[in-house]
Protein backbone atom coordinates (compact mmCIF):
# COMPACT_ATOMS: atom_id res chain seq x y z
CA UNK A 1 0.00 0.00 0.00
CA UNK A 2 1.09 3.53 -0.68
CA UNK A 3 1.81 5.87 2.23
CA UNK A 4 2.51 9.59 2.45
CA UNK A 5 4.27 11.19 5.40
CA UNK A 6 4.47 14.85 6.35
CA UNK A 7 6.77 15.22 9.33
CA UNK A 8 6.07 18.91 10.03
CA UNK A 9 2.71 19.34 11.78
CA UNK A 10 3.16 23.12 11.88
CA UNK A 11 5.33 25.68 10.13
CA UNK A 12 5.46 29.44 10.30
CA UNK A 13 7.10 32.05 8.11
CA UNK A 14 7.34 35.81 7.92
CA UNK A 15 5.37 37.49 5.19
CA UNK A 16 7.45 37.84 1.99
CA UNK A 17 9.88 35.13 3.09
CA UNK A 18 10.32 31.64 1.65
CA UNK A 19 9.19 28.42 3.32
CA UNK A 20 9.62 24.76 2.41
CA UNK A 21 7.19 22.02 3.40
CA UNK A 22 8.44 18.43 3.41
CA UNK A 23 6.82 15.24 2.21
CA UNK A 24 8.02 11.68 1.76
CA UNK A 25 6.10 8.80 0.26
CA UNK A 26 6.39 5.10 -0.23
CA UNK A 27 5.22 3.16 -3.25
CA UNK A 28 6.24 0.23 -5.39
CA UNK A 29 4.65 1.82 -8.46
CA UNK A 30 6.73 3.59 -11.09
CA UNK A 31 4.01 5.68 -12.70
CA UNK A 32 2.14 8.07 -10.45
CA UNK A 33 1.31 11.67 -9.65
CA UNK A 34 2.17 13.74 -6.61
CA UNK A 35 0.18 16.74 -5.50
CA UNK A 36 0.13 19.53 -2.99
CA UNK A 37 -3.33 20.63 -1.87
CA UNK A 38 -4.22 23.70 0.17
CA UNK A 39 -7.12 23.68 2.64
CA UNK A 40 -7.89 27.18 3.99
CA UNK A 41 -9.95 27.40 7.18
CA UNK A 42 -13.61 26.59 6.49
CA UNK A 43 -13.01 26.44 2.74
CA UNK A 44 -12.64 23.64 0.27
CA UNK A 45 -9.44 21.93 -0.62
CA UNK A 46 -7.82 23.22 -3.78
CA UNK A 47 -4.97 21.93 -5.90
CA UNK A 48 -1.76 23.94 -5.63
CA UNK A 49 0.62 22.00 -7.84
CA UNK A 50 1.08 18.57 -9.42
CA UNK A 51 4.10 16.54 -10.48
CA UNK A 52 4.17 13.59 -12.86
CA UNK A 53 6.62 10.95 -11.68
CA UNK A 54 7.95 10.35 -15.21
CA UNK A 55 9.01 13.98 -15.53
CA UNK A 56 12.43 14.90 -14.18
CA UNK A 57 11.74 18.62 -14.35
CA UNK A 58 10.31 20.05 -11.16
CA UNK A 59 6.86 21.63 -11.48
CA UNK A 60 6.37 25.34 -10.83
CA UNK A 61 3.21 27.44 -10.51
CA UNK A 62 3.95 31.11 -9.94
CA UNK A 63 5.28 31.38 -6.36
CA UNK A 64 4.97 27.64 -5.76
CA UNK A 65 7.57 25.10 -6.80
CA UNK A 66 8.46 21.56 -5.87
CA UNK A 67 11.65 19.61 -5.36
CA UNK A 68 10.91 16.09 -6.59
CA UNK A 69 13.50 13.47 -5.73
CA UNK A 70 12.14 10.21 -7.14
CA UNK A 71 14.91 7.93 -5.89
CA UNK A 72 14.62 9.33 -2.40
CA UNK A 73 10.81 9.39 -2.63
CA UNK A 74 10.78 12.98 -1.49
CA UNK A 75 8.47 15.75 -2.66
CA UNK A 76 8.82 19.14 -0.98
CA UNK A 77 6.88 22.34 -1.65
CA UNK A 78 8.58 25.73 -1.71
CA UNK A 79 6.49 28.86 -1.32
CA UNK A 80 8.31 32.05 -2.27
CA UNK A 81 7.29 35.56 -1.25
CA UNK A 82 4.80 34.19 1.29
CA UNK A 83 1.52 36.06 1.50
CA UNK A 84 -1.09 36.20 4.25
CA UNK A 85 -3.48 34.33 1.97
CA UNK A 86 -1.11 31.37 1.93
CA UNK A 87 -2.06 30.52 5.51
CA UNK A 88 -3.75 27.12 5.44
CA UNK A 89 -3.33 23.39 5.93
CA UNK A 90 -1.19 21.90 3.19
CA UNK A 91 -1.54 18.27 2.23
CA UNK A 92 0.82 16.20 0.17
CA UNK A 93 -0.99 13.52 -1.84
CA UNK A 94 -0.19 10.57 -4.09
CA UNK A 95 -2.21 8.99 -6.84
CA UNK A 96 -1.54 6.14 -9.20
CA UNK A 97 -1.45 7.43 -12.76
CA UNK A 98 -3.83 5.08 -14.46
CA UNK A 99 -7.53 5.78 -14.20
CA UNK A 100 -9.53 7.82 -11.73
CA UNK A 101 -7.71 6.53 -8.70
CA UNK A 102 -8.12 7.67 -5.13
CA UNK A 103 -5.80 10.19 -3.53
CA UNK A 104 -3.63 9.07 -0.62
CA UNK A 105 -2.94 12.01 1.67
CA UNK A 106 -0.32 12.86 4.25
CA UNK A 107 -1.24 14.13 7.69
CA UNK A 108 -0.93 17.78 6.69
CA UNK A 109 1.17 20.78 7.68
CA UNK A 110 -0.44 23.87 9.16
CA UNK A 111 1.26 26.95 7.71
CA UNK A 112 1.07 30.27 9.55
CA UNK A 113 2.14 33.51 7.93
CA UNK A 114 3.38 36.18 10.33
CA UNK A 115 2.82 39.77 9.18
CA UNK B 1 -17.14 28.39 -12.11
CA UNK B 2 -18.68 24.98 -11.43
CA UNK B 3 -18.23 23.63 -7.91
CA UNK B 4 -18.99 20.51 -5.92
CA UNK B 5 -21.93 21.17 -3.60
CA UNK B 6 -22.40 19.53 -0.21
CA UNK B 7 -25.07 19.83 2.44
CA UNK B 8 -25.42 20.33 5.26
CA UNK B 9 -22.22 22.20 6.05
CA UNK B 10 -22.50 21.35 9.73
CA UNK B 11 -24.34 18.60 11.56
CA UNK B 12 -24.56 17.88 15.26
CA UNK B 13 -26.18 14.65 16.33
CA UNK B 14 -26.32 12.33 19.29
CA UNK B 15 -24.79 8.89 19.21
CA UNK B 16 -27.06 6.14 17.94
CA UNK B 17 -28.92 8.59 15.70
CA UNK B 18 -28.95 8.40 11.91
CA UNK B 19 -27.34 11.10 9.76
CA UNK B 20 -27.15 11.67 6.04
CA UNK B 21 -24.94 13.84 3.87
CA UNK B 22 -25.57 14.94 0.31
CA UNK B 23 -23.16 15.71 -2.51
CA UNK B 24 -23.79 17.12 -5.96
CA UNK B 25 -20.69 16.81 -8.15
CA UNK B 26 -19.70 19.07 -11.00
CA UNK B 27 -21.95 18.43 -13.98
CA UNK B 28 -20.59 15.74 -16.23
CA UNK B 29 -18.19 14.29 -13.68
CA UNK B 30 -18.54 10.53 -13.77
CA UNK B 31 -16.38 9.69 -10.78
CA UNK B 32 -17.38 10.68 -7.27
CA UNK B 33 -15.46 10.17 -4.04
CA UNK B 34 -16.37 10.39 -0.36
CA UNK B 35 -13.42 11.04 1.96
CA UNK B 36 -13.40 11.24 5.75
CA UNK B 37 -11.03 13.69 7.42
CA UNK B 38 -10.55 13.26 11.15
CA UNK B 39 -9.33 16.42 12.90
CA UNK B 40 -5.58 16.76 12.53
CA UNK B 41 -5.29 14.10 9.83
CA UNK B 42 -5.42 13.91 6.08
CA UNK B 43 -8.54 12.73 4.25
CA UNK B 44 -9.03 9.01 3.68
CA UNK B 45 -11.23 7.47 1.01
CA UNK B 46 -14.47 5.90 2.19
CA UNK B 47 -16.09 5.09 -1.15
CA UNK B 48 -15.59 5.77 -4.85
CA UNK B 49 -18.29 5.68 -7.52
CA UNK B 50 -17.95 5.40 -11.26
CA UNK B 51 -21.33 6.59 -12.51
CA UNK B 52 -23.77 4.68 -10.30
CA UNK B 53 -21.43 1.77 -9.53
CA UNK B 54 -19.21 1.41 -6.49
CA UNK B 55 -15.56 1.07 -7.53
CA UNK B 56 -13.90 1.01 -4.11
CA UNK B 57 -15.56 0.76 -0.71
CA UNK B 58 -12.85 -1.22 1.02
CA UNK B 59 -12.51 1.35 3.83
CA UNK B 60 -16.23 1.94 4.33
CA UNK B 61 -17.50 0.56 7.69
CA UNK B 62 -20.36 -1.29 6.09
CA UNK B 63 -22.05 -2.22 9.34
CA UNK B 64 -23.06 1.39 9.86
CA UNK B 65 -22.20 3.36 6.70
CA UNK B 66 -23.96 3.22 3.36
CA UNK B 67 -23.56 5.23 0.19
CA UNK B 68 -25.55 5.48 -2.99
CA UNK B 69 -25.50 7.29 -6.29
CA UNK B 70 -28.69 6.02 -7.83
CA UNK B 71 -28.77 7.98 -11.09
CA UNK B 72 -25.05 8.46 -11.38
CA UNK B 73 -25.28 12.13 -10.49
CA UNK B 74 -25.70 13.22 -6.86
CA UNK B 75 -24.83 10.98 -3.94
CA UNK B 76 -25.87 10.37 -0.36
CA UNK B 77 -23.71 9.03 2.46
CA UNK B 78 -25.55 7.69 5.50
CA UNK B 79 -24.43 6.68 8.97
CA UNK B 80 -26.73 4.62 11.17
CA UNK B 81 -26.17 4.52 14.08
CA UNK B 82 -23.65 7.32 14.57
CA UNK B 83 -20.84 6.75 17.06
CA UNK B 84 -18.61 9.24 18.86
CA UNK B 85 -15.67 8.25 16.66
CA UNK B 86 -17.56 9.31 13.54
CA UNK B 87 -16.99 12.98 14.38
CA UNK B 88 -15.05 14.26 11.39
CA UNK B 89 -15.23 16.29 8.19
CA UNK B 90 -16.82 14.39 5.31
CA UNK B 91 -15.52 15.56 1.96
CA UNK B 92 -16.97 14.88 -1.44
CA UNK B 93 -14.88 15.15 -4.59
CA UNK B 94 -15.50 14.55 -8.25
CA UNK B 95 -13.51 14.16 -11.43
CA UNK B 96 -14.35 14.21 -15.09
CA UNK B 97 -12.29 11.10 -15.58
CA UNK B 98 -10.32 12.60 -18.41
CA UNK B 99 -6.63 11.82 -18.69
CA UNK B 100 -3.99 12.78 -18.14
CA UNK B 101 -4.68 14.28 -14.76
CA UNK B 102 -8.13 13.25 -13.62
CA UNK B 103 -8.04 16.24 -11.31
CA UNK B 104 -10.29 15.88 -8.30
CA UNK B 105 -12.39 18.88 -7.28
CA UNK B 106 -13.49 19.03 -3.67
CA UNK B 107 -16.63 20.34 -2.04
CA UNK B 108 -16.61 22.41 1.18
CA UNK B 109 -17.33 19.36 3.32
CA UNK B 110 -19.82 18.47 6.04
CA UNK B 111 -18.49 18.75 9.57
CA UNK B 112 -20.14 16.12 11.76
CA UNK B 113 -20.10 16.28 15.54
CA UNK B 114 -21.45 13.28 17.44
CA UNK B 115 -22.33 13.94 21.09
Amino acid sequence: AQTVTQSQPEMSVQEAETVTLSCTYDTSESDYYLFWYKQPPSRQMILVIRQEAYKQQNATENRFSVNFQKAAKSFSLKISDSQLGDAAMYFCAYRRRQGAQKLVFGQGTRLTINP
Amino acid sequence: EAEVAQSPRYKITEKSQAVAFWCDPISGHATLYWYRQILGQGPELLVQFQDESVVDDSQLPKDRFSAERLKGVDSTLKIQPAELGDSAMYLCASTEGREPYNEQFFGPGTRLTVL
Side-chain angles (χ1 to χ4, degrees), chain A residues 51-64:
Chain A
Q51 174 77 43
E52 296 94 322
Y54 64 87
K55 289 187 177 180
Q56 293 186 339
Q57 185 174 6
N58 290 321
T60 62
E61 287 287 343
N62 300 314
R63 298 182 296 106
F64 299 88

Side-chain angles (χ1 to χ4, degrees), chain B residues 10-76:
Chain B
Y10 303 91
K11 179 69 177 179
I12 300 174
T13 190
E14 294 185 345
K15 64 180 181 179
S16 79
Q17 296 298 304
V19 292
F21 314 132
W22 177 79
C23 172
D24 191 14
I26 294 172
S27 178
H29 282 197
T31 307
L32 184 148
Y33 310 81
W34 284 101
Y35 291 89
R36 179 170 61 183
Q37 183 180 14
I38 296 172
L39 185 65
Q41 299 182 20
E44 292 185 329
L45 182 74
L46 288 175
V47 61
Q48 175 182 344
F49 288 92
Q50 179 66 34
D51 298 311
E52 67 276 8
S53 300
V54 173
V55 174
D56 183 354
D57 65 354
S58 58
Q59 299 303 309
L60 188 70
K62 298 181 186 62
D63 58 335
R64 297 185 301 106
F65 285 64
S66 63
E68 60 183 16
R69 194 184 183 198
L70 293 177
K71 297 183 179 179
V73 181
D74 58 338
S75 176
T76 302

Side-chain angles (χ1 to χ4, degrees), chain B residues 13-17 36 38 64-65 79 81-88 90 112-115:
Chain B
T13 190
E14 294 185 345
K15 64 180 181 179
S16 79
Q17 296 298 304
R36 179 170 61 183
I38 296 172
R64 297 185 301 106
F65 285 64
I79 308 175
E83 296 181 352
L84 296 178
D86 297 332
S87 294
Y90 290 82
L112 172 66
T113 301
V114 182
L115 302 176

